[in-house]
Amino acid sequence: MSISEVFPNPTVKQVIFQIKFPNLFYMENKIGAFQLKIMNEFPQSALLFRRQVVFVDIGPEGKFENIPADLDKESGKKIWQFKSNKNFQLNVLGDSLGIVSQYHKTYNLEGGDKFRDIIKFVLDYFFEVTSIPLINRIGLRYIDECPLPSKDNDTFRLHYNSIFPVDRFNIANANEMDFKTVTKTGEYYLRYIESLKKVDSGYKLILDFDGFAENINSEDYLTVTDELHTIILEEYEKTIREPVYQYMRQKKEE
């Protein structure tokens, strides 16, 4: 049964939406108009510069002073960064756009601010300004930190339908466990990762779902994102068990 409630204490810690597209040489000329359209939701802005590492083979007889002074002028990328007062962030580059949120508790359920609404708000204006016809890649990623009250096999099985071979490698004796797979579902892909890691003073199961699609017409972006979310949600529901639902229904301690 599909999750139909907004939990006060969800396991999701970060949700990321990203599109990649052919490098736009005119992005710098378009970003001002885009900024004005999203300013009410993203009032904070900054221009960052990501420096790339350049390796130069100067040979055994080469000298550093012979390296051209302007070699690295084009070796970085501009990042136009916009932040919301609700603690989520938008990054725009010449070939990608990404939204990162630690705020949203639901994708599209009533009763909470919807991550889907932010995606639509940003992308509709972005496509209006840039007129991009093709998206090379759409990605939707959820990172969850899930509780493990006691680090033993019985507790672990009670909480999770996990991939981990706990019959062979006892959870109680494990410092870390990791599993990763990339699978195809119809025309979409899912990268699924389980990791048992120490967080603060205890252990948690980290679930990392990264759904993506390739070569999408821009007008279809929201339909594709909805379908990626459905794939991720189904895998999440297959993994967690009732004690995790009970944990998420508890009010978070301040």
Side-chain angles (χ1 to χ4, degrees), residues 17-20 136-141 180-192 209-216 224-225 227-229 231-232:
F17 170 85
Q18 186 190 58
I19 61 169
K20 293 184 178 181
N136 293 342
R137 186 184 188 275
I138 296 179
L140 183 65
R141 183 179 181 188
K180 173 183 174 181
T181 185
V182 179
T183 64
K184 190 173 183 182
T185 303
E187 56 189 317
Y188 304 134
Y189 297 86
L190 176 68
R191 183 179 67 110
Y192 173 87
F209 306 89
D210 187 2
F212 60 96
E214 298 176 334
N215 299 321
I216 305 298
V224 171
T225 306
E227 292 171 352
L228 292 175
H229 174 261
I231 292 170
I232 291 171

PDB file of all heavy atoms in Angstrom, residues 17-20 136-141 180-192 209-216 224-225 227-229 231-232:
ATOM      1  N   PHE A  17      16.914  17.100  -6.910  1.00  0.00           N
ATOM      2  CA  PHE A  17      16.416  17.018  -8.284  1.00  0.00           C
ATOM      3  C   PHE A  17      17.447  17.682  -9.180  1.00  0.00           C
ATOM      4  O   PHE A  17      17.980  18.744  -8.859  1.00  0.00           O
ATOM      5  CB  PHE A  17      15.069  17.732  -8.420  1.00  0.00           C
ATOM      6  CG  PHE A  17      14.613  17.893  -9.844  1.00  0.00           C
ATOM      7  CD1 PHE A  17      13.933  16.878 -10.489  1.00  0.00           C
ATOM      8  CD2 PHE A  17      14.880  19.065 -10.545  1.00  0.00           C
ATOM      9  CE1 PHE A  17      13.517  17.019 -11.811  1.00  0.00           C
ATOM     10  CE2 PHE A  17      14.473  19.217 -11.863  1.00  0.00           C
ATOM     11  CZ  PHE A  17      13.789  18.190 -12.487  1.00  0.00           C
ATOM     12  N   GLN A  18      17.724  17.051 -10.332  1.00  0.00           N
ATOM     13  CA  GLN A  18      18.697  17.642 -11.246  1.00  0.00           C
ATOM     14  C   GLN A  18      18.327  17.334 -12.692  1.00  0.00           C
ATOM     15  O   GLN A  18      17.852  16.239 -13.001  1.00  0.00           O
ATOM     16  CB  GLN A  18      20.099  17.099 -10.968  1.00  0.00           C
ATOM     17  CG  GLN A  18      21.192  17.793 -11.797  1.00  0.00           C
ATOM     18  CD  GLN A  18      22.536  17.105 -11.710  1.00  0.00           C
ATOM     19  OE1 GLN A  18      22.665  15.932 -12.037  1.00  0.00           O
ATOM     20  NE2 GLN A  18      23.549  17.847 -11.256  1.00  0.00           N
ATOM     21  N   ILE A  19      18.553  18.319 -13.539  1.00  0.00           N
ATOM     22  CA  ILE A  19      18.513  18.075 -14.982  1.00  0.00           C
ATOM     23  C   ILE A  19      19.871  18.450 -15.568  1.00  0.00           C
ATOM     24  O   ILE A  19      20.547  19.363 -15.082  1.00  0.00           O
ATOM     25  CB  ILE A  19      17.395  18.868 -15.701  1.00  0.00           C
ATOM     26  CG1 ILE A  19      17.590  20.383 -15.546  1.00  0.00           C
ATOM     27  CG2 ILE A  19      16.029  18.428 -15.223  1.00  0.00           C
ATOM     28  CD1 ILE A  19      16.681  21.213 -16.430  1.00  0.00           C
ATOM     29  N   LYS A  20      20.266  17.709 -16.601  1.00  0.00           N
ATOM     30  CA  LYS A  20      21.458  18.040 -17.374  1.00  0.00           C
ATOM     31  C   LYS A  20      21.042  18.252 -18.820  1.00  0.00           C
ATOM     32  O   LYS A  20      20.156  17.555 -19.330  1.00  0.00           O
ATOM     33  CB  LYS A  20      22.503  16.924 -17.266  1.00  0.00           C
ATOM     34  CG  LYS A  20      23.085  16.777 -15.870  1.00  0.00           C
ATOM     35  CD  LYS A  20      24.186  15.708 -15.831  1.00  0.00           C
ATOM     36  CE  LYS A  20      24.797  15.611 -14.446  1.00  0.00           C
ATOM     37  NZ  LYS A  20      25.879  14.590 -14.399  1.00  0.00           N
ATOM     38  N   ASN A 136      19.169  16.082 -21.380  1.00  0.00           N
ATOM     39  CA  ASN A 136      20.018  14.878 -21.499  1.00  0.00           C
ATOM     40  C   ASN A 136      19.744  13.871 -20.392  1.00  0.00           C
ATOM     41  O   ASN A 136      19.764  12.666 -20.622  1.00  0.00           O
ATOM     42  CB  ASN A 136      21.496  15.267 -21.458  1.00  0.00           C
ATOM     43  CG  ASN A 136      21.924  16.063 -22.672  1.00  0.00           C
ATOM     44  OD1 ASN A 136      21.244  16.051 -23.700  1.00  0.00           O
ATOM     45  ND2 ASN A 136      23.031  16.779 -22.564  1.00  0.00           N
ATOM     46  N   ARG A 137      19.487  14.399 -19.183  1.00  0.00           N
ATOM     47  CA  ARG A 137      19.280  13.504 -18.039  1.00  0.00           C
ATOM     48  C   ARG A 137      18.419  14.208 -16.998  1.00  0.00           C
ATOM     49  O   ARG A 137      18.618  15.386 -16.708  1.00  0.00           O
ATOM     50  CB  ARG A 137      20.613  13.114 -17.408  1.00  0.00           C
ATOM     51  CG  ARG A 137      20.534  12.077 -16.287  1.00  0.00           C
ATOM     52  CD  ARG A 137      21.916  11.851 -15.685  1.00  0.00           C
ATOM     53  NE  ARG A 137      21.959  10.750 -14.739  1.00  0.00           N
ATOM     54  CZ  ARG A 137      21.652  10.840 -13.442  1.00  0.00           C
ATOM     55  NH1 ARG A 137      21.246  12.015 -12.943  1.00  0.00           N
ATOM     56  NH2 ARG A 137      21.743   9.791 -12.656  1.00  0.00           N
ATOM     57  N   ILE A 138      17.453  13.482 -16.461  1.00  0.00           N
ATOM     58  CA  ILE A 138      16.668  13.930 -15.308  1.00  0.00           C
ATOM     59  C   ILE A 138      16.963  12.975 -14.162  1.00  0.00           C
ATOM     60  O   ILE A 138      16.917  11.752 -14.331  1.00  0.00           O
ATOM     61  CB  ILE A 138      15.157  13.919 -15.592  1.00  0.00           C
ATOM     62  CG1 ILE A 138      14.790  14.915 -16.693  1.00  0.00           C
ATOM     63  CG2 ILE A 138      14.369  14.239 -14.319  1.00  0.00           C
ATOM     64  CD1 ILE A 138      13.312  14.930 -17.027  1.00  0.00           C
ATOM     65  N   GLY A 139      17.274  13.522 -12.990  1.00  0.00           N
ATOM     66  CA  GLY A 139      17.540  12.681 -11.833  1.00  0.00           C
ATOM     67  C   GLY A 139      16.750  13.132 -10.625  1.00  0.00           C
ATOM     68  O   GLY A 139      16.572  14.334 -10.392  1.00  0.00           O
ATOM     69  N   LEU A 140      16.266  12.172  -9.849  1.00  0.00           N
ATOM     70  CA  LEU A 140      15.584  12.432  -8.578  1.00  0.00           C
ATOM     71  C   LEU A 140      16.192  11.498  -7.547  1.00  0.00           C
ATOM     72  O   LEU A 140      16.201  10.275  -7.735  1.00  0.00           O
ATOM     73  CB  LEU A 140      14.081  12.194  -8.703  1.00  0.00           C
ATOM     74  CG  LEU A 140      13.239  12.500  -7.459  1.00  0.00           C
ATOM     75  CD1 LEU A 140      13.285  13.992  -7.125  1.00  0.00           C
ATOM     76  CD2 LEU A 140      11.792  12.049  -7.658  1.00  0.00           C
ATOM     77  N   ARG A 141      16.704  12.080  -6.471  1.00  0.00           N
ATOM     78  CA  ARG A 141      17.459  11.285  -5.492  1.00  0.00           C
ATOM     79  C   ARG A 141      16.966  11.563  -4.077  1.00  0.00           C
ATOM     80  O   ARG A 141      16.752  12.711  -3.699  1.00  0.00           O
ATOM     81  CB  ARG A 141      18.946  11.622  -5.600  1.00  0.00           C
ATOM     82  CG  ARG A 141      19.852  10.812  -4.687  1.00  0.00           C
ATOM     83  CD  ARG A 141      21.301  11.222  -4.890  1.00  0.00           C
ATOM     84  NE  ARG A 141      22.215  10.459  -4.048  1.00  0.00           N
ATOM     85  CZ  ARG A 141      23.510  10.709  -3.917  1.00  0.00           C
ATOM     86  NH1 ARG A 141      24.048  11.726  -4.602  1.00  0.00           N
ATOM     87  NH2 ARG A 141      24.271   9.980  -3.129  1.00  0.00           N
ATOM     88  N   LYS A 180      25.149  -2.030  -3.420  1.00  0.00           N
ATOM     89  CA  LYS A 180      24.804  -1.103  -4.489  1.00  0.00           C
ATOM     90  C   LYS A 180      24.400  -1.868  -5.733  1.00  0.00           C
ATOM     91  O   LYS A 180      25.038  -2.865  -6.090  1.00  0.00           O
ATOM     92  CB  LYS A 180      25.994  -0.191  -4.812  1.00  0.00           C
ATOM     93  CG  LYS A 180      25.779   0.707  -6.030  1.00  0.00           C
ATOM     94  CD  LYS A 180      27.036   1.517  -6.336  1.00  0.00           C
ATOM     95  CE  LYS A 180      26.878   2.311  -7.626  1.00  0.00           C
ATOM     96  NZ  LYS A 180      28.094   3.098  -7.953  1.00  0.00           N
ATOM     97  N   THR A 181      23.347  -1.397  -6.377  1.00  0.00           N
ATOM     98  CA  THR A 181      22.960  -1.945  -7.671  1.00  0.00           C
ATOM     99  C   THR A 181      22.383  -0.829  -8.533  1.00  0.00           C
ATOM    100  O   THR A 181      21.818   0.143  -8.008  1.00  0.00           O
ATOM    101  CB  THR A 181      21.918  -3.077  -7.522  1.00  0.00           C
ATOM    102  OG1 THR A 181      21.649  -3.655  -8.807  1.00  0.00           O
ATOM    103  CG2 THR A 181      20.617  -2.569  -6.940  1.00  0.00           C
ATOM    104  N   VAL A 182      22.550  -0.946  -9.828  1.00  0.00           N
ATOM    105  CA  VAL A 182      21.900  -0.053 -10.793  1.00  0.00           C
ATOM    106  C   VAL A 182      21.036  -0.934 -11.683  1.00  0.00           C
ATOM    107  O   VAL A 182      21.546  -1.830 -12.354  1.00  0.00           O
ATOM    108  CB  VAL A 182      22.918   0.728 -11.633  1.00  0.00           C
ATOM    109  CG1 VAL A 182      22.184   1.622 -12.639  1.00  0.00           C
ATOM    110  CG2 VAL A 182      23.828   1.572 -10.742  1.00  0.00           C
ATOM    111  N   THR A 183      19.740  -0.701 -11.659  1.00  0.00           N
ATOM    112  CA  THR A 183      18.800  -1.545 -12.389  1.00  0.00           C
ATOM    113  C   THR A 183      17.973  -0.689 -13.343  1.00  0.00           C
ATOM    114  O   THR A 183      17.867   0.525 -13.187  1.00  0.00           O
ATOM    115  CB  THR A 183      17.858  -2.297 -11.434  1.00  0.00           C
ATOM    116  OG1 THR A 183      17.045  -1.343 -10.726  1.00  0.00           O
ATOM    117  CG2 THR A 183      18.639  -3.122 -10.437  1.00  0.00           C
ATOM    118  N   LYS A 184      17.369  -1.356 -14.309  1.00  0.00           N
ATOM    119  CA  LYS A 184      16.514  -0.671 -15.270  1.00  0.00           C
ATOM    120  C   LYS A 184      15.074  -1.114 -15.061  1.00  0.00           C
ATOM    121  O   LYS A 184      14.784  -2.310 -14.963  1.00  0.00           O
ATOM    122  CB  LYS A 184      16.965  -0.973 -16.699  1.00  0.00           C
ATOM    123  CG  LYS A 184      16.285  -0.099 -17.752  1.00  0.00           C
ATOM    124  CD  LYS A 184      16.882  -0.303 -19.134  1.00  0.00           C
ATOM    125  CE  LYS A 184      16.239   0.645 -20.147  1.00  0.00           C
ATOM    126  NZ  LYS A 184      16.768   0.450 -21.513  1.00  0.00           N
ATOM    127  N   THR A 185      14.177  -0.147 -14.987  1.00  0.00           N
ATOM    128  CA  THR A 185      12.744  -0.400 -14.867  1.00  0.00           C
ATOM    129  C   THR A 185      12.058   0.257 -16.050  1.00  0.00           C
ATOM    130  O   THR A 185      11.891   1.477 -16.089  1.00  0.00           O
ATOM    131  CB  THR A 185      12.190   0.159 -13.540  1.00  0.00           C
ATOM    132  OG1 THR A 185      12.895  -0.416 -12.446  1.00  0.00           O
ATOM    133  CG2 THR A 185      10.705  -0.145 -13.404  1.00  0.00           C
ATOM    134  N   GLY A 186      11.698  -0.548 -17.051  1.00  0.00           N
ATOM    135  CA  GLY A 186      11.148   0.030 -18.271  1.00  0.00           C
ATOM    136  C   GLY A 186      12.198   0.895 -18.946  1.00  0.00           C
ATOM    137  O   GLY A 186      13.304   0.441 -19.235  1.00  0.00           O
ATOM    138  N   GLU A 187      11.887   2.165 -19.135  1.00  0.00           N
ATOM    139  CA  GLU A 187      12.836   3.085 -19.774  1.00  0.00           C
ATOM    140  C   GLU A 187      13.615   3.915 -18.766  1.00  0.00           C
ATOM    141  O   GLU A 187      14.409   4.790 -19.146  1.00  0.00           O
ATOM    142  CB  GLU A 187      12.083   4.021 -20.729  1.00  0.00           C
ATOM    143  CG  GLU A 187      10.959   4.795 -20.072  1.00  0.00           C
ATOM    144  CD  GLU A 187      10.103   5.529 -21.088  1.00  0.00           C
ATOM    145  OE1 GLU A 187      10.679   6.125 -22.011  1.00  0.00           O
ATOM    146  OE2 GLU A 187       8.870   5.481 -20.956  1.00  0.00           O
ATOM    147  N   TYR A 188      13.428   3.636 -17.471  1.00  0.00           N
ATOM    148  CA  TYR A 188      14.087   4.410 -16.419  1.00  0.00           C
ATOM    149  C   TYR A 188      15.116   3.556 -15.685  1.00  0.00           C
ATOM    150  O   TYR A 188      15.094   2.321 -15.736  1.00  0.00           O
ATOM    151  CB  TYR A 188      13.053   4.954 -15.432  1.00  0.00           C
ATOM    152  CG  TYR A 188      11.982   5.787 -16.083  1.00  0.00           C
ATOM    153  CD1 TYR A 188      10.637   5.601 -15.779  1.00  0.00           C
ATOM    154  CD2 TYR A 188      12.313   6.760 -17.021  1.00  0.00           C
ATOM    155  CE1 TYR A 188       9.648   6.373 -16.375  1.00  0.00           C
ATOM    156  CE2 TYR A 188      11.333   7.535 -17.630  1.00  0.00           C
ATOM    157  CZ  TYR A 188      10.010   7.333 -17.302  1.00  0.00           C
ATOM    158  OH  TYR A 188       9.040   8.097 -17.911  1.00  0.00           O
ATOM    159  N   TYR A 189      15.985   4.255 -14.945  1.00  0.00           N
ATOM    160  CA  TYR A 189      17.044   3.592 -14.193  1.00  0.00           C
ATOM    161  C   TYR A 189      16.933   3.935 -12.714  1.00  0.00           C
ATOM    162  O   TYR A 189      16.452   5.010 -12.337  1.00  0.00           O
ATOM    163  CB  TYR A 189      18.425   4.024 -14.706  1.00  0.00           C
ATOM    164  CG  TYR A 189      18.699   3.647 -16.140  1.00  0.00           C
ATOM    165  CD1 TYR A 189      18.292   4.486 -17.183  1.00  0.00           C
ATOM    166  CD2 TYR A 189      19.359   2.459 -16.464  1.00  0.00           C
ATOM    167  CE1 TYR A 189      18.535   4.150 -18.509  1.00  0.00           C
ATOM    168  CE2 TYR A 189      19.607   2.129 -17.782  1.00  0.00           C
ATOM    169  CZ  TYR A 189      19.197   2.974 -18.793  1.00  0.00           C
ATOM    170  OH  TYR A 189      19.443   2.638 -20.105  1.00  0.00           O
ATOM    171  N   LEU A 190      17.400   3.016 -11.881  1.00  0.00           N
ATOM    172  CA  LEU A 190      17.447   3.260 -10.443  1.00  0.00           C
ATOM    173  C   LEU A 190      18.770   2.755  -9.895  1.00  0.00           C
ATOM    174  O   LEU A 190      19.135   1.596 -10.080  1.00  0.00           O
ATOM    175  CB  LEU A 190      16.296   2.552  -9.718  1.00  0.00           C
ATOM    176  CG  LEU A 190      16.321   2.686  -8.189  1.00  0.00           C
ATOM    177  CD1 LEU A 190      16.036   4.126  -7.772  1.00  0.00           C
ATOM    178  CD2 LEU A 190      15.335   1.724  -7.530  1.00  0.00           C
ATOM    179  N   ARG A 191      19.479   3.669  -9.231  1.00  0.00           N
ATOM    180  CA  ARG A 191      20.665   3.290  -8.460  1.00  0.00           C
ATOM    181  C   ARG A 191      20.217   3.179  -7.004  1.00  0.00           C
ATOM    182  O   ARG A 191      19.738   4.157  -6.423  1.00  0.00           O
ATOM    183  CB  ARG A 191      21.768   4.339  -8.602  1.00  0.00           C
ATOM    184  CG  ARG A 191      23.063   3.975  -7.882  1.00  0.00           C
ATOM    185  CD  ARG A 191      24.097   5.063  -8.098  1.00  0.00           C
ATOM    186  NE  ARG A 191      23.693   6.289  -7.430  1.00  0.00           N
ATOM    187  CZ  ARG A 191      24.292   6.795  -6.344  1.00  0.00           C
ATOM    188  NH1 ARG A 191      25.334   6.207  -5.823  1.00  0.00           N
ATOM    189  NH2 ARG A 191      23.856   7.919  -5.812  1.00  0.00           N
ATOM    190  N   TYR A 192      20.378   1.988  -6.438  1.00  0.00           N
ATOM    191  CA  TYR A 192      19.902   1.714  -5.084  1.00  0.00           C
ATOM    192  C   TYR A 192      21.096   1.340  -4.217  1.00  0.00           C
ATOM    193  O   TYR A 192      21.872   0.440  -4.562  1.00  0.00           O
ATOM    194  CB  TYR A 192      18.879   0.566  -5.120  1.00  0.00           C
ATOM    195  CG  TYR A 192      18.424   0.066  -3.771  1.00  0.00           C
ATOM    196  CD1 TYR A 192      17.358   0.668  -3.105  1.00  0.00           C
ATOM    197  CD2 TYR A 192      19.042  -1.022  -3.161  1.00  0.00           C
ATOM    198  CE1 TYR A 192      16.931   0.193  -1.875  1.00  0.00           C
ATOM    199  CE2 TYR A 192      18.624  -1.501  -1.926  1.00  0.00           C
ATOM    200  CZ  TYR A 192      17.568  -0.888  -1.293  1.00  0.00           C
ATOM    201  OH  TYR A 192      17.148  -1.346  -0.064  1.00  0.00           O
ATOM    202  N   PHE A 209      18.408   6.360  -2.837  1.00  0.00           N
ATOM    203  CA  PHE A 209      17.672   6.044  -4.060  1.00  0.00           C
ATOM    204  C   PHE A 209      17.941   7.129  -5.097  1.00  0.00           C
ATOM    205  O   PHE A 209      17.678   8.301  -4.841  1.00  0.00           O
ATOM    206  CB  PHE A 209      16.169   5.989  -3.800  1.00  0.00           C
ATOM    207  CG  PHE A 209      15.744   5.077  -2.687  1.00  0.00           C
ATOM    208  CD1 PHE A 209      15.666   5.550  -1.381  1.00  0.00           C
ATOM    209  CD2 PHE A 209      15.405   3.758  -2.937  1.00  0.00           C
ATOM    210  CE1 PHE A 209      15.252   4.723  -0.351  1.00  0.00           C
ATOM    211  CE2 PHE A 209      14.992   2.925  -1.910  1.00  0.00           C
ATOM    212  CZ  PHE A 209      14.924   3.401  -0.606  1.00  0.00           C
ATOM    213  N   ASP A 210      18.446   6.746  -6.243  1.00  0.00           N
ATOM    214  CA  ASP A 210      18.742   7.714  -7.299  1.00  0.00           C
ATOM    215  C   ASP A 210      18.104   7.225  -8.593  1.00  0.00           C
ATOM    216  O   ASP A 210      18.632   6.360  -9.278  1.00  0.00           O
ATOM    217  CB  ASP A 210      20.257   7.847  -7.460  1.00  0.00           C
ATOM    218  CG  ASP A 210      20.650   8.956  -8.428  1.00  0.00           C
ATOM    219  OD1 ASP A 210      19.745   9.640  -8.942  1.00  0.00           O
ATOM    220  OD2 ASP A 210      21.861   9.137  -8.669  1.00  0.00           O
ATOM    221  N   GLY A 211      16.926   7.785  -8.914  1.00  0.00           N
ATOM    222  CA  GLY A 211      16.231   7.435 -10.149  1.00  0.00           C
ATOM    223  C   GLY A 211      16.574   8.416 -11.245  1.00  0.00           C
ATOM    224  O   GLY A 211      16.679   9.624 -10.995  1.00  0.00           O
ATOM    225  N   PHE A 212      16.754   7.920 -12.458  1.00  0.00           N
ATOM    226  CA  PHE A 212      17.096   8.841 -13.538  1.00  0.00           C
ATOM    227  C   PHE A 212      16.606   8.333 -14.886  1.00  0.00           C
ATOM    228  O   PHE A 212      16.350   7.136 -15.086  1.00  0.00           O
ATOM    229  CB  PHE A 212      18.605   9.128 -13.582  1.00  0.00           C
ATOM    230  CG  PHE A 212      19.492   7.927 -13.789  1.00  0.00           C
ATOM    231  CD1 PHE A 212      19.951   7.594 -15.062  1.00  0.00           C
ATOM    232  CD2 PHE A 212      19.887   7.134 -12.722  1.00  0.00           C
ATOM    233  CE1 PHE A 212      20.788   6.506 -15.260  1.00  0.00           C
ATOM    234  CE2 PHE A 212      20.718   6.037 -12.907  1.00  0.00           C
ATOM    235  CZ  PHE A 212      21.172   5.721 -14.183  1.00  0.00           C
ATOM    236  N   ALA A 213      16.448   9.290 -15.801  1.00  0.00           N
ATOM    237  CA  ALA A 213      16.011   9.024 -17.175  1.00  0.00           C
ATOM    238  C   ALA A 213      16.883   9.845 -18.101  1.00  0.00           C
ATOM    239  O   ALA A 213      17.447  10.875 -17.707  1.00  0.00           O
ATOM    240  CB  ALA A 213      14.545   9.382 -17.356  1.00  0.00           C
ATOM    241  N   GLU A 214      16.990   9.403 -19.350  1.00  0.00           N
ATOM    242  CA  GLU A 214      17.875  10.059 -20.306  1.00  0.00           C
ATOM    243  C   GLU A 214      17.127  10.439 -21.576  1.00  0.00           C
ATOM    244  O   GLU A 214      16.169   9.773 -21.967  1.00  0.00           O
ATOM    245  CB  GLU A 214      19.057   9.139 -20.645  1.00  0.00           C
ATOM    246  CG  GLU A 214      19.929   8.824 -19.429  1.00  0.00           C
ATOM    247  CD  GLU A 214      21.038   7.840 -19.738  1.00  0.00           C
ATOM    248  OE1 GLU A 214      20.878   7.042 -20.688  1.00  0.00           O
ATOM    249  OE2 GLU A 214      22.066   7.860 -19.021  1.00  0.00           O
ATOM    250  N   ASN A 215      17.581  11.542 -22.184  1.00  0.00           N
ATOM    251  CA  ASN A 215      17.062  12.020 -23.479  1.00  0.00           C
ATOM    252  C   ASN A 215      15.548  12.225 -23.439  1.00  0.00           C
ATOM    253  O   ASN A 215      14.774  11.483 -24.060  1.00  0.00           O
ATOM    254  CB  ASN A 215      17.457  11.054 -24.595  1.00  0.00           C
ATOM    255  CG  ASN A 215      18.967  10.926 -24.732  1.00  0.00           C
ATOM    256  OD1 ASN A 215      19.686  11.916 -24.600  1.00  0.00           O
ATOM    257  ND2 ASN A 215      19.446   9.716 -24.973  1.00  0.00           N
ATOM    258  N   ILE A 216      15.155  13.251 -22.694  1.00  0.00           N
ATOM    259  CA  ILE A 216      13.744  13.554 -22.457  1.00  0.00           C
ATOM    260  C   ILE A 216      13.401  14.902 -23.089  1.00  0.00           C
ATOM    261  O   ILE A 216      14.154  15.871 -22.960  1.00  0.00           O
ATOM    262  CB  ILE A 216      13.454  13.618 -20.941  1.00  0.00           C
ATOM    263  CG1 ILE A 216      13.886  12.316 -20.252  1.00  0.00           C
ATOM    264  CG2 ILE A 216      11.994  13.924 -20.677  1.00  0.00           C
ATOM    265  CD1 ILE A 216      13.147  11.088 -20.724  1.00  0.00           C
ATOM    266  N   VAL A 224       7.896  12.599 -16.256  1.00  0.00           N
ATOM    267  CA  VAL A 224       9.023  11.693 -16.007  1.00  0.00           C
ATOM    268  C   VAL A 224       9.435  11.736 -14.540  1.00  0.00           C
ATOM    269  O   VAL A 224       9.675  10.692 -13.917  1.00  0.00           O
ATOM    270  CB  VAL A 224      10.214  12.061 -16.917  1.00  0.00           C
ATOM    271  CG1 VAL A 224      11.468  11.277 -16.524  1.00  0.00           C
ATOM    272  CG2 VAL A 224       9.864  11.799 -18.373  1.00  0.00           C
ATOM    273  N   THR A 225       9.491  12.924 -13.952  1.00  0.00           N
ATOM    274  CA  THR A 225       9.862  13.050 -12.541  1.00  0.00           C
ATOM    275  C   THR A 225       8.849  12.349 -11.647  1.00  0.00           C
ATOM    276  O   THR A 225       9.218  11.685 -10.666  1.00  0.00           O
ATOM    277  CB  THR A 225       9.990  14.531 -12.152  1.00  0.00           C
ATOM    278  OG1 THR A 225      10.891  15.180 -13.043  1.00  0.00           O
ATOM    279  CG2 THR A 225      10.518  14.673 -10.734  1.00  0.00           C
ATOM    280  N   GLU A 227       7.100   9.742 -12.414  1.00  0.00           N
ATOM    281  CA  GLU A 227       7.311   8.300 -12.566  1.00  0.00           C
ATOM    282  C   GLU A 227       8.577   7.844 -11.838  1.00  0.00           C
ATOM    283  O   GLU A 227       8.606   6.762 -11.255  1.00  0.00           O
ATOM    284  CB  GLU A 227       7.359   7.949 -14.047  1.00  0.00           C
ATOM    285  CG  GLU A 227       5.998   8.128 -14.723  1.00  0.00           C
ATOM    286  CD  GLU A 227       6.048   7.989 -16.230  1.00  0.00           C
ATOM    287  OE1 GLU A 227       7.157   7.897 -16.794  1.00  0.00           O
ATOM    288  OE2 GLU A 227       4.970   7.976 -16.858  1.00  0.00           O
ATOM    289  N   LEU A 228       9.608   8.670 -11.842  1.00  0.00           N
ATOM    290  CA  LEU A 228      10.813   8.342 -11.074  1.00  0.00           C
ATOM    291  C   LEU A 228      10.497   8.293  -9.575  1.00  0.00           C
ATOM    292  O   LEU A 228      10.973   7.411  -8.858  1.00  0.00           O
ATOM    293  CB  LEU A 228      11.913   9.365 -11.345  1.00  0.00           C
ATOM    294  CG  LEU A 228      12.518   9.365 -12.753  1.00  0.00           C
ATOM    295  CD1 LEU A 228      13.495  10.526 -12.896  1.00  0.00           C
ATOM    296  CD2 LEU A 228      13.212   8.042 -13.054  1.00  0.00           C
ATOM    297  N   HIS A 229       9.686   9.255  -9.122  1.00  0.00           N
ATOM    298  CA  HIS A 229       9.305   9.260  -7.711  1.00  0.00           C
ATOM    299  C   HIS A 229       8.533   7.999  -7.342  1.00  0.00           C
ATOM    300  O   HIS A 229       8.752   7.416  -6.266  1.00  0.00           O
ATOM    301  CB  HIS A 229       8.455  10.490  -7.395  1.00  0.00           C
ATOM    302  CG  HIS A 229       7.915  10.485  -6.003  1.00  0.00           C
ATOM    303  ND1 HIS A 229       6.634  10.089  -5.704  1.00  0.00           N
ATOM    304  CD2 HIS A 229       8.494  10.779  -4.816  1.00  0.00           C
ATOM    305  CE1 HIS A 229       6.440  10.151  -4.409  1.00  0.00           C
ATOM    306  NE2 HIS A 229       7.543  10.570  -3.852  1.00  0.00           N
ATOM    307  N   ILE A 231       8.773   5.018  -8.693  1.00  0.00           N
ATOM    308  CA  ILE A 231       9.729   3.908  -8.629  1.00  0.00           C
ATOM    309  C   ILE A 231      10.489   3.927  -7.305  1.00  0.00           C
ATOM    310  O   ILE A 231      10.659   2.897  -6.637  1.00  0.00           O
ATOM    311  CB  ILE A 231      10.707   3.980  -9.817  1.00  0.00           C
ATOM    312  CG1 ILE A 231       9.971   3.690 -11.122  1.00  0.00           C
ATOM    313  CG2 ILE A 231      11.870   2.999  -9.641  1.00  0.00           C
ATOM    314  CD1 ILE A 231      10.791   3.964 -12.370  1.00  0.00           C
ATOM    315  N   ILE A 232      10.944   5.115  -6.891  1.00  0.00           N
ATOM    316  CA  ILE A 232      11.688   5.245  -5.635  1.00  0.00           C
ATOM    317  C   ILE A 232      10.802   4.911  -4.441  1.00  0.00           C
ATOM    318  O   ILE A 232      11.214   4.188  -3.521  1.00  0.00           O
ATOM    319  CB  ILE A 232      12.257   6.669  -5.515  1.00  0.00           C
ATOM    320  CG1 ILE A 232      13.354   6.881  -6.561  1.00  0.00           C
ATOM    321  CG2 ILE A 232      12.795   6.931  -4.114  1.00  0.00           C
ATOM    322  CD1 ILE A 232      13.825   8.316  -6.681  1.00  0.00           C
TER     323      ILE A 232
END
